[in-house]
Amino acid sequence: MGINLEDYMLPCLSKTFFGLECLGCGFQRSFVLLLHGNFIDAFKMYPAVYTLIFLFLFILLNFKLKFKQSKKIISSLAYVNLSIMIINYLIKINI
């Protein structure tokens, strides 16, 4: 008898109130798929999942290690993530 993580997911307010998915729709489900070892399915669900995890890990490491070019790296990673999220969103709404 395990814990079903999907029971604890937050609802998307954009989808709930307006019927439109947001740029983050799918991240929680994708992360759960990752935790279950379904790496390809996680990517298919939300392609930015890996780059977002990398960004969050870098930010956490930066608190401890204080990288010299951290602002540039964080900005670049954020732009890459945003680009992936926007492209994924545009593909989703056109399918």
Side-chain angles (χ1 to χ4, degrees):
M1 197 167 157
I3 297 174
N4 186 4
L5 294 176
E6 292 185 20
D7 292 339
Y8 299 98
M9 289 186 186
L10 300 172
C12 175
L13 296 178
S14 174
K15 196 170 186 175
T16 301
F17 293 122
F18 305 114
L20 299 171
E21 291 191 3
C22 69
L23 291 176
C25 277
F27 177 76
Q28 291 179 100
R29 289 175 283 146
S30 178
F31 190 73
V32 169
L33 287 170
L34 264 181
L35 294 176
H36 289 283
N38 299 324
F39 302 110
I40 294 172
D41 291 336
F43 179 80
K44 287 178 183 176
M45 174 69 65
Y46 193 75
V49 68
Y50 294 110
T51 54
L52 278 172
I53 289 171
F54 183 71
L55 173 62
F56 291 135
L57 288 175
F58 182 82
I59 291 170
L60 290 174
L61 278 174
N62 188 50
F63 282 125
K64 182 74 173 168
L65 302 176
K66 302 292 183 198
F67 297 107
K68 287 183 181 180
Q69 298 292 322
S70 63
K71 288 183 182 179
K72 258 187 180 177
I73 295 170
I74 291 170
S75 295
S76 298
L77 287 172
Y79 287 127
V80 166
N81 278 300
L82 185 59
S83 299
I84 293 170
M85 291 164 69
I86 290 171
I87 291 167
N88 181 53
Y89 180 75
L90 292 174
I91 290 170
K92 257 198 265 187
I93 63 172
N94 285 323
I95 291 180

